[in-house]
Amino acid sequence: MPFPRHRFAVNLSMLFTGLPLLERPAAAAAAGFGAVEMWWPWPETPTPPDRELDALRAALDDAGTRLVGLNFYAGRLPGPDRGALSVPGVESARFRANLAVAAGFAASLGCTALNALYGNRVAGADPRAQDALALENLVRAAEAADRVGAQVLIEALNPAESPAYPLTGSSAAVAVVDEVNKASGLGNARFLMDLYHLATAGEDLPAAIAAHGGTCGHVQLADAPGRGHPGTGALDVPDLLSRLDEAGYGGWVGLEYRGGGASGAGVFDWLDEL
């Protein structure tokens, strides 16, 4: 059967959210997972005090959980923001200030996947200027990631929930990936294939997997509609996982869905049925 349990990573920004952040790695381990991912845990600052970085690192180490995916600073997430790197002014500067911090934290835990959310269109700003700023900052991100042996991930979201986010399909995100790799010369930018966002955007998931499953850098999963655990929506998750295997994807699948409260009760039962 494809995708045994050890290939899934729990997203600690979406699951076990009834617990304080520092208790979530142990909860993931107790649920049988050895790998986790997360959004940038300090949405209010790109440069948290060392003591906070140290405390989270210790919580992950003590739980025996491996960090396999981390967002760069992305603004207020959850909240109205969808990234900072294409947003002129203060937010772009905050993204740049975060690069070395996020890359260094990831490297200290053996994490090699850093997600760089593109950011929303800004009213009154020239979209072409935002895209130029995005490319400049993504090249900086690729350089920071390369210094620690990591990849930069570029994600498509869905227009229903993120109407101001310009990358709302796999082709748009992959085009940016190609542009970054050409501009940086490093080749370490990869597409983050979030099956929930692509499905909600109306994309043909089997076609997207066939086109990009063998070359994407990371996969995330939730059922659609609703962004709950598999079985709560309309997606044939076992079939999609099989298609990813057939396409040659051998990486992690992040469980980035809602539910389960502090205990995660019930939201992982579907894995036992695979």
Side-chain angles (χ1 to χ4, degrees):
M1 289 183 290
F3 286 91
R5 196 179 186 94
H6 68 260
R7 287 185 62 186
F8 293 93
V10 173
N11 188 296
L12 297 182
S13 301
M14 290 285 287
L15 288 160
F16 301 113
T17 54
L19 295 172
L21 175 64
L22 297 183
E23 296 179 20
R24 295 178 204 171
F33 295 93
V36 299
E37 62 177 25
M38 65 184 71
W39 305 341
W40 182 244
W42 301 276
E44 70 285 352
T45 177
T47 54
D50 286 345
R51 65 179 181 278
E52 295 188 25
L53 294 163
D54 292 342
L56 180 53
R57 186 184 297 107
L60 291 162
D61 285 342
D62 290 347
T65 48
R66 177 183 173 187
L67 183 66
V68 299
L70 176 69
N71 282 15
F72 286 113
Y73 170 80
R76 293 162 292 173
L77 188 69
D81 299 328
R82 297 292 185 272
L85 63 90
S86 68
V87 179
V90 172
E91 283 300 280
S92 173
R94 287 162 72 88
F95 175 80
R96 293 182 185 185
N98 175 248
L99 292 176
V101 178
F105 181 73
S108 73
L109 290 160
C111 175
T112 58
L114 290 157
N115 186 23
L117 283 169
Y118 200 84
N120 289 330
R121 292 300 193 208
V122 176
D126 183 346
R128 292 170 299 180
Q130 281 199 257
D131 290 340
L133 177 62
L135 179 58
E136 180 183 349
N137 280 334
L138 282 168
V139 168
R140 289 172 181 254
E143 292 168 347
D146 181 68
R147 285 192 285 271
V148 297
Q151 296 180 342
V152 172
L153 303 175
I154 297 170
E155 181 178 10
L157 304 183
N158 74 80
E161 295 172 321
S162 304
Y165 190 85
L167 308 185
T168 56
S170 60
S171 60
V174 169
V176 173
V177 168
D178 292 342
E179 192 175 12
V180 172
N181 283 332
K182 181 179 179 180
S184 72
L186 297 170
N188 66 336
R190 293 286 186 276
F191 175 43
L192 192 164
M193 183 184 293
D194 187 308
L195 298 176
Y196 165 76
H197 283 301
L198 296 183
T200 305
E203 190 149 346
D204 182 330
L205 294 186
I209 290 170
H212 309 297
T215 57
C216 68
H218 192 69
V219 171
Q220 291 178 322
L221 172 66
D223 212 335
R227 206 172 187 177
H229 62 82
T232 59
L235 298 187
D236 186 345
V237 170
D239 177 68
L240 295 174
L241 294 174
S242 293
R243 289 176 183 272
L244 281 165
D245 243 11
E246 292 165 4
Y249 180 69
W252 297 96
V253 174
L255 304 182
E256 195 187 35
Y257 51 72
R258 302 186 181 99
S263 67
V267 299
F268 304 122
D269 292 350
W270 66 276
L271 283 166
D272 298 325
E273 300 171 8
L274 276 180

Short mmCIF file of all heavy atoms in Angstrom, two decimals, residues 18 27 30 33-34 55 58 71-72 78 80 82 85 109 122 132 147 156 188 199 205 228 233 256 268-269:
data_model
loop_
_atom_site.label_atom_id
_atom_site.label_comp_id
_atom_site.label_asym_id
_atom_site.label_seq_id
_atom_site.Cartn_x
_atom_site.Cartn_y
_atom_site.Cartn_z
N GLY A 18 -5.36 23.06 20.29
CA GLY A 18 -5.87 23.26 21.64
C GLY A 18 -4.80 23.21 22.70
O GLY A 18 -5.06 23.51 23.87
N ALA A 27 2.48 15.70 21.56
CA ALA A 27 1.16 15.18 21.19
C ALA A 27 1.24 14.46 19.84
O ALA A 27 0.62 13.40 19.65
CB ALA A 27 0.14 16.31 21.14
N ALA A 30 2.87 11.16 20.46
CA ALA A 30 1.96 10.23 21.12
C ALA A 30 0.93 9.66 20.16
O ALA A 30 0.44 8.55 20.35
CB ALA A 30 1.26 10.94 22.28
N PHE A 33 3.40 9.83 15.24
CA PHE A 33 4.09 10.50 14.15
C PHE A 33 5.50 10.91 14.58
O PHE A 33 5.70 11.46 15.66
CB PHE A 33 3.32 11.75 13.71
CG PHE A 33 1.98 11.43 13.10
CD1 PHE A 33 0.84 11.42 13.89
CD2 PHE A 33 1.87 11.11 11.76
CE1 PHE A 33 -0.39 11.10 13.35
CE2 PHE A 33 0.64 10.79 11.21
CZ PHE A 33 -0.50 10.78 12.00
N GLY A 34 6.45 10.68 13.69
CA GLY A 34 7.82 11.07 13.96
C GLY A 34 8.24 12.33 13.25
O GLY A 34 9.37 12.79 13.44
N ALA A 55 13.57 27.11 22.98
CA ALA A 55 12.50 26.35 23.64
C ALA A 55 11.76 25.46 22.65
O ALA A 55 11.44 24.30 22.95
CB ALA A 55 11.53 27.31 24.33
N ALA A 58 14.01 22.56 21.65
CA ALA A 58 14.07 21.56 22.72
C ALA A 58 12.80 20.72 22.75
O ALA A 58 12.85 19.50 22.96
CB ALA A 58 14.30 22.24 24.07
N ASN A 71 7.64 27.34 7.37
CA ASN A 71 7.42 28.56 6.58
C ASN A 71 8.43 29.64 6.98
O ASN A 71 8.74 29.80 8.17
CB ASN A 71 6.03 29.13 6.83
CG ASN A 71 4.93 28.40 6.09
OD1 ASN A 71 5.12 27.30 5.59
ND2 ASN A 71 3.76 29.02 6.03
N PHE A 72 8.89 30.40 5.99
CA PHE A 72 9.48 31.69 6.31
C PHE A 72 8.38 32.59 6.89
O PHE A 72 7.18 32.30 6.77
CB PHE A 72 10.04 32.34 5.04
CG PHE A 72 11.32 31.75 4.53
CD1 PHE A 72 11.35 31.07 3.31
CD2 PHE A 72 12.50 31.87 5.24
CE1 PHE A 72 12.53 30.55 2.80
CE2 PHE A 72 13.69 31.35 4.76
CZ PHE A 72 13.70 30.68 3.53
N PRO A 78 -2.37 32.29 11.03
CA PRO A 78 -3.63 32.58 10.35
C PRO A 78 -4.04 34.04 10.54
O PRO A 78 -3.67 34.67 11.52
CB PRO A 78 -4.62 31.64 11.04
CG PRO A 78 -4.06 31.44 12.40
CD PRO A 78 -2.57 31.45 12.23
N PRO A 80 -5.24 37.72 7.99
CA PRO A 80 -5.50 38.28 6.66
C PRO A 80 -4.34 38.17 5.68
O PRO A 80 -4.52 38.39 4.48
CB PRO A 80 -5.78 39.75 6.97
CG PRO A 80 -4.99 40.03 8.21
CD PRO A 80 -5.05 38.76 9.01
N ARG A 82 -1.07 36.50 3.51
CA ARG A 82 -0.73 35.26 2.80
C ARG A 82 0.73 35.30 2.36
O ARG A 82 1.09 34.84 1.28
CB ARG A 82 -1.64 35.09 1.57
CG ARG A 82 -3.11 34.94 1.89
CD ARG A 82 -3.40 33.61 2.59
NE ARG A 82 -4.82 33.40 2.80
CZ ARG A 82 -5.50 33.80 3.86
NH1 ARG A 82 -4.88 34.45 4.84
NH2 ARG A 82 -6.80 33.55 3.97
N LEU A 85 6.67 38.45 1.07
CA LEU A 85 7.82 38.72 0.21
C LEU A 85 7.53 39.59 -0.99
O LEU A 85 8.43 40.19 -1.56
CB LEU A 85 8.47 37.40 -0.22
CG LEU A 85 7.65 36.42 -1.06
CD1 LEU A 85 7.84 36.67 -2.55
CD2 LEU A 85 8.02 34.98 -0.71
N LEU A 109 17.72 21.72 13.01
CA LEU A 109 16.85 20.58 13.24
C LEU A 109 16.83 19.61 12.05
O LEU A 109 16.03 18.68 12.02
CB LEU A 109 15.42 21.08 13.52
CG LEU A 109 15.27 21.78 14.87
CD1 LEU A 109 14.02 22.65 14.88
CD2 LEU A 109 15.20 20.75 16.00
N VAL A 122 -1.51 44.17 -3.34
CA VAL A 122 -1.75 45.32 -2.47
C VAL A 122 -2.47 46.40 -3.28
O VAL A 122 -2.02 46.76 -4.39
CB VAL A 122 -0.43 45.87 -1.91
CG1 VAL A 122 -0.69 47.13 -1.08
CG2 VAL A 122 0.27 44.80 -1.08
N ALA A 132 8.35 41.84 -9.40
CA ALA A 132 9.80 42.06 -9.42
C ALA A 132 10.38 41.97 -8.02
O ALA A 132 11.46 41.39 -7.81
CB ALA A 132 10.10 43.42 -10.05
N ARG A 147 22.55 27.91 1.49
CA ARG A 147 23.66 27.93 2.46
C ARG A 147 23.51 26.85 3.52
O ARG A 147 24.50 26.47 4.16
CB ARG A 147 23.77 29.32 3.10
CG ARG A 147 24.38 30.37 2.17
CD ARG A 147 24.74 31.63 2.92
NE ARG A 147 23.58 32.43 3.26
CZ ARG A 147 23.04 33.37 2.49
NH1 ARG A 147 23.57 33.62 1.30
NH2 ARG A 147 21.99 34.06 2.88
N ALA A 156 0.86 27.30 -4.37
CA ALA A 156 -0.38 27.87 -4.90
C ALA A 156 -1.47 27.74 -3.85
O ALA A 156 -1.62 26.69 -3.22
CB ALA A 156 -0.79 27.14 -6.17
N ASN A 188 17.30 25.26 -6.52
CA ASN A 188 16.74 24.69 -5.29
C ASN A 188 15.34 25.20 -4.97
O ASN A 188 14.86 25.01 -3.84
CB ASN A 188 17.67 24.94 -4.10
CG ASN A 188 17.79 26.41 -3.74
OD1 ASN A 188 17.58 27.30 -4.58
ND2 ASN A 188 18.16 26.71 -2.50
N ALA A 199 -7.57 21.53 -5.32
CA ALA A 199 -8.94 21.04 -5.50
C ALA A 199 -9.95 22.16 -5.34
O ALA A 199 -10.91 22.27 -6.12
CB ALA A 199 -9.23 19.91 -4.51
N LEU A 205 -6.84 17.26 -10.22
CA LEU A 205 -5.75 16.76 -9.38
C LEU A 205 -4.96 15.63 -10.02
O LEU A 205 -3.72 15.63 -9.94
CB LEU A 205 -6.30 16.33 -8.01
CG LEU A 205 -6.85 17.44 -7.13
CD1 LEU A 205 -7.21 16.88 -5.75
CD2 LEU A 205 -5.86 18.58 -6.98
N GLY A 228 -11.08 19.47 6.25
CA GLY A 228 -11.02 18.52 7.34
C GLY A 228 -10.15 17.32 6.98
O GLY A 228 -9.49 17.29 5.94
N GLY A 233 -14.70 15.08 3.19
CA GLY A 233 -15.03 15.80 1.97
C GLY A 233 -15.21 14.85 0.81
O GLY A 233 -15.59 13.69 0.99
N GLU A 256 -2.24 18.94 6.74
CA GLU A 256 -2.53 20.34 7.05
C GLU A 256 -4.04 20.55 7.04
O GLU A 256 -4.59 21.26 6.21
CB GLU A 256 -1.84 21.26 6.02
CG GLU A 256 -1.78 22.71 6.47
CD GLU A 256 -1.25 23.64 5.39
OE1 GLU A 256 -1.52 23.40 4.20
OE2 GLU A 256 -0.55 24.61 5.74
N PHE A 268 -7.03 10.97 12.72
CA PHE A 268 -6.00 10.12 12.09
C PHE A 268 -6.51 8.70 11.84
O PHE A 268 -5.76 7.86 11.35
CB PHE A 268 -4.74 10.06 12.97
CG PHE A 268 -4.17 11.40 13.30
CD1 PHE A 268 -4.00 11.81 14.61
CD2 PHE A 268 -3.80 12.28 12.29
CE1 PHE A 268 -3.47 13.04 14.91
CE2 PHE A 268 -3.27 13.52 12.59
CZ PHE A 268 -3.10 13.91 13.91
N ASP A 269 -7.78 8.44 12.14
CA ASP A 269 -8.32 7.10 11.95
C ASP A 269 -8.23 6.65 10.50
O ASP A 269 -8.08 5.46 10.21
CB ASP A 269 -9.77 7.04 12.42
CG ASP A 269 -9.91 7.19 13.94
OD1 ASP A 269 -8.86 7.16 14.64
OD2 ASP A 269 -11.04 7.35 14.41
#
